[in-house]
Amino acid sequence: MSKTRENTKNLVLAALFTAVTAILSQTAIPIPGGVPLTLQTFAVALCGYVLGIKWGLASISAYVLLGAVGVPVFSGFKGGIGTLFGTTGGFIFGFIIFALICGLSHRFKNRILSVLIGIGGMLVCHLCGVIQFSIVYGSNFINSFLLVSLPYLLKDALSVIAAYFLSVYILKLIKKI
């Protein structure tokens, strides 16, 4: 495949995953504490696993930039700088690191290692979210963790695992294109 064709394919896939992330972000169940239960974690992990470091990072960065300029791509059809610097913004910024780490695991053939690296990325994302939440609310780290991270850890870890296994299937399909 020519370099131009490969770049075009990757650009289209990155744009597609940006859209998928925006769509899955709208699948939200409000939870007390202000951080909704969404499929964003699944979407971000899938993006990194399928696209790798460069294109996964580009896709999720585009998602964050679209939201930053006001396109309502964040959970609950929110967008704008206020969302990025509000209670859930740390998680959104953390998505960039999360996608990058899942993209890094794309290089490993060991499935368990790839999943564990992805879960590590998810934990970094949660750390970013908890830190920003505690700053915005003026609460301590432990209380913030208990409110906006702990209730989601199992669901998010399962999302990472599911994203990895779906990415294996998607990558097989993409190789045929």
Side-chain angles (χ1 to χ4, degrees):
M1 181 180 303
S2 74
K3 187 73 170 163
T4 303
R5 181 176 161 94
E6 182 73 21
N7 282 337
T8 301
K9 179 177 92 171
N10 287 331
L11 184 61
V12 168
L13 286 170
L16 176 65
F17 274 92
T18 300
V20 166
T21 303
I23 291 165
L24 291 179
S25 295
Q26 303 318 315
T27 306
I29 300 168
I31 301 289
V35 179
L37 186 67
T38 72
L39 293 176
Q40 288 172 306
T41 306
F42 173 78
V44 173
L46 185 64
C47 180
Y49 281 135
V50 170
L51 300 178
I53 294 172
K54 178 181 174 182
W55 292 102
L57 183 60
S59 178
I60 296 304
S61 295
Y63 167 77
V64 173
L65 288 172
L66 283 169
V69 299
V71 179
V73 295
F74 301 141
S75 178
F77 293 100
K78 294 179 186 166
I81 292 292
T83 303
L84 287 176
F85 293 99
T87 56
T88 60
F91 291 98
I92 296 169
F93 286 121
F95 290 159
I96 296 170
I97 301 165
F98 182 24
L100 179 94
I101 292 171
C102 286
L104 173 67
S105 76
H106 179 79
R107 297 179 178 195
F108 297 98
K109 299 296 181 205
N110 184 310
R111 290 178 179 208
I112 294 171
L113 182 59
S114 292
V115 168
L116 290 175
I117 290 170
I119 290 172
M122 178 214 54
L123 293 173
V124 170
C125 180
H126 272 254
L127 178 64
C128 294
V130 171
I131 290 170
Q132 185 163 324
F133 185 90
S134 66
I135 291 168
V136 170
Y137 261 95
S139 65
N140 68 48
F141 183 85
I142 299 297
N143 287 340
S144 296
F145 169 75
L146 293 173
L147 184 63
V148 301
S149 181
L150 183 63
Y152 304 93
L153 287 176
L154 179 60
K155 187 273 303 175
D156 286 349
L158 293 173
S159 292
V160 170
I161 294 166
Y164 174 78
F165 286 104
L166 182 58
S167 75
V168 170
Y169 176 74
I170 291 171
L171 286 168
K172 286 178 185 176
L173 293 176
I174 290 172
K175 285 182 183 180
K176 294 179 182 180
I177 298 175

